[in-house]
Amino acid sequence: SNQMGRARKLSSESYDIYKMDHTVISIQLGFSDLNRIKATEMFGLGIVDTWITIRDELIDDMNYNPVVEIPDGQAQQASNFTLDTTSPYLLEYHLDFVSETMTLHFNEPINISSIDYTEISFQDGFSSDHNYSLTDGEANSYND
């Protein structure tokens, strides 16, 4: 959750738990959860907008006492934060001359307002002197 009230619940995909000791655990975030968090505007950009809520069903201690809930309105701010500095990359693309569309699939959410169509070029081989650069277009974004 963040100060603007945008919250994301982790799916069952985020499940790999690495026990550090008996008081610290590290949870491996799933691909979908990580991308949904990244795609939420004004969320997860730094400590100032990264907060957590937990329910008492999250985990028990060794005597089966449930963890103390941290409810909405009392969210706990992150004590440490590592900014996403990894650039997105193109996984694959599909070109459809019938529907006159090209679909680009990236490894993480992208900022559609930053697209520059002239930076896309088609060529007739892996390395070629024959290419064509786009001049314009209209983009739509959706989650896979």
Side-chain angles (χ1 to χ4, degrees):
S1 181
N2 71 358
Q3 290 177 319
M4 298 181 71
R6 293 183 175 98
R8 290 287 182 206
K9 286 188 177 183
L10 297 181
S11 71
S12 59
E13 182 183 282
S14 292
Y15 64 90
D16 292 333
I17 298 176
Y18 302 98
K19 184 171 58 170
M20 306 298 270
D21 65 30
H22 289 288
T23 62
V24 178
I25 60 171
S26 177
I27 299 172
Q28 181 68 46
L29 295 175
F31 182 75
S32 300
D33 288 328
L34 188 59
N35 283 339
R36 284 191 178 111
I37 291 168
K38 287 181 179 183
T40 304
E41 287 186 45
M42 304 304 296
F43 181 79
L45 301 175
I47 287 178
V48 70
D49 65 3
T50 305
W51 298 71
I52 192 171
T53 60
I54 60 173
R55 295 187 6 208
D56 60 1
E57 293 92 3
L58 171 67
I59 199 165
D60 295 333
D61 70 9
M62 301 302 280
N63 291 315
Y64 302 101
N65 297 308
V67 69
V68 175
E69 183 172 336
I70 301 173
D72 189 22
Q74 296 177 14
Q76 183 173 329
Q77 191 170 23
S79 58
N80 193 357
F81 183 88
T82 304
L83 185 64
D84 175 16
T85 58
T86 305
S87 296
Y89 58 86
L90 183 66
L91 295 171
E92 64 183 9
Y93 74 95
H94 302 201
L95 186 59
D96 185 336
F97 286 115
V98 174
S99 66
E100 301 175 356
T101 61
M102 177 175 53
T103 305
L104 306 175
H105 294 261
F106 293 91
N107 68 312
E108 67 175 283
I110 47 102
N111 179 352
I112 195 168
S113 67
S114 68
I115 193 167
D116 180 353
Y117 303 101
T118 63
E119 296 297 322
I120 299 173
S121 296
F122 292 99
Q123 53 191 54
D124 62 0
F126 182 74
S127 178
S128 176
D129 292 330
H130 301 99
N131 62 52
Y132 176 78
S133 295
L134 295 183
T135 58
D136 66 3
E138 183 177 319
N140 295 304
S141 177
Y142 60 91
N143 290 328
D144 226 358

